[in-house]
Amino acid sequence: GQQVMQIPQYQHVQEGEDFTTYCNSSTTLSNIQWYKQRPGGHPVFLIQLVKSGEVKKQKRLTFQFGEAKKNSSLHITATQTTDVGTYFCAGNSGGYQKVTFGIGTKLQVIP
Amino acid sequence: KAGVTQTPRYLIKTRGQQVTLSCSPISGHRSVSWYQQTPGQGLQFLFEYFSETQRNKGNFPGRFSGRQFSNSRSEMNVSTLELGDSALYLCASSPNRGQVNEQFFGPGTRLTVL
């Protein structure tokens, strides 16, 4: 079955440093979504990427979808304490809602 | 619009018992998915329902089952509970229209099996 690998699992950064998490799928994806889960909370949708090579920005967050539609990354510039949480990628390789989540990257920001 | 609601929020059961969890999606959302979240395994897909039909199923044993009602509310049942079933069970609804199939998650039901 489809597998989505996500690295790193944990990342500690000093406030102001950049942060990147990577996802790699074993199969070609139709789209990939990114979610953020704050400690004690539930996952909240950030963005969906559909097109090969797509790049989308949300303020300090940059999302990329690889040319082969098998990998993706989320980059945060100049992290802030409000960025703390676990970031998940979720790959969709079929129709409908058959989504496979990565293990998540837990980000800690040291003030 | 009200968000996704899940009941109960916390549940303690013993091995061998069964449990039913409930999820009310956002009004107008016809797709409801269930996930199991544990620290070691992350978010694992259980199943997805759309218009009362199970469209997709993850790799969980038959002890895990679900259903969806005509008002899109969904229930998940776990029979013969095992210690390893202790987890946060998350429900997510989606409008499932157009290209963006964003999922809206509920707060989850934390199940502890003793």
Side-chain angles (χ1 to χ4, degrees), chain A residues 1 9-10 31 33 35 37 40-45 48 50-51 88 90 92 95-103, chain B residues 31 33 35 37 39-43 45 48 55-58 88 90 94 96 99-107:
Chain A
Q9 278 197 39
Y10 305 94
N31 64 65
Q33 299 175 344
Y35 292 81
Q37 185 173 22
H42 55 270
V44 174
F45 176 82
Q48 177 172 296
V50 178
K51 298 176 186 173
F88 294 95
N92 191 339
Y96 311 133
Q97 210 64 275
K98 192 173 177 68
V99 173
T100 302
F101 276 77
I103 194 85
Chain B
S31 169
S33 298
Y35 295 88
Q37 186 172 32
Q41 300 291 324
L43 273 156
F45 174 76
E48 186 241 351
R55 282 203 302 199
N56 290 296
K57 191 177 187 309
L88 180 66
L90 290 161
S94 172
N96 212 226
Q99 271 209 313
V100 181
N101 49 359
E102 167 184 1
Q103 294 191 76
F104 295 81
F105 282 83

Side-chain angles (χ1 to χ4, degrees), chain B residues 31-86:
Chain B
S31 169
V32 174
S33 298
W34 287 89
Y35 295 88
Q36 181 193 66
Q37 186 172 32
T38 55
Q41 300 291 324
L43 273 156
Q44 303 230 281
F45 174 76
L46 281 153
F47 25 66
E48 186 241 351
Y49 287 88
F50 183 86
S51 293
E52 302 177 68
T53 301
Q54 187 181 88
R55 282 203 302 199
N56 290 296
K57 191 177 187 309
N59 299 323
F60 277 80
R63 300 185 297 108
F64 292 81
S65 62
R67 58 177 175 168
Q68 187 180 33
F69 301 96
S70 58
N71 61 359
S72 292
R73 190 176 70 83
S74 178
E75 284 183 349
M76 189 193 112
N77 186 277
V78 188
S79 62
T80 320
L81 284 166
E82 300 177 0
L83 295 178
D85 297 332
S86 293

Side-chain angles (χ1 to χ4, degrees), chain A residues 27-65:
Chain A
T27 60
T28 302
L29 301 170
S30 55
N31 64 65
I32 192 159
Q33 299 175 344
W34 286 90
Y35 292 81
K36 176 184 179 182
Q37 185 173 22
R38 292 182 189 274
H42 55 270
V44 174
F45 176 82
L46 294 176
I47 209 160
Q48 177 172 296
L49 305 172
V50 178
K51 298 176 186 173
S52 167
E54 189 169 16
V55 178
K56 284 190 176 180
K57 292 192 175 186
Q58 288 180 350
K59 297 183 181 177
R60 294 177 295 103
L61 277 61
T62 302
F63 305 84
Q64 290 190 319
F65 201 10

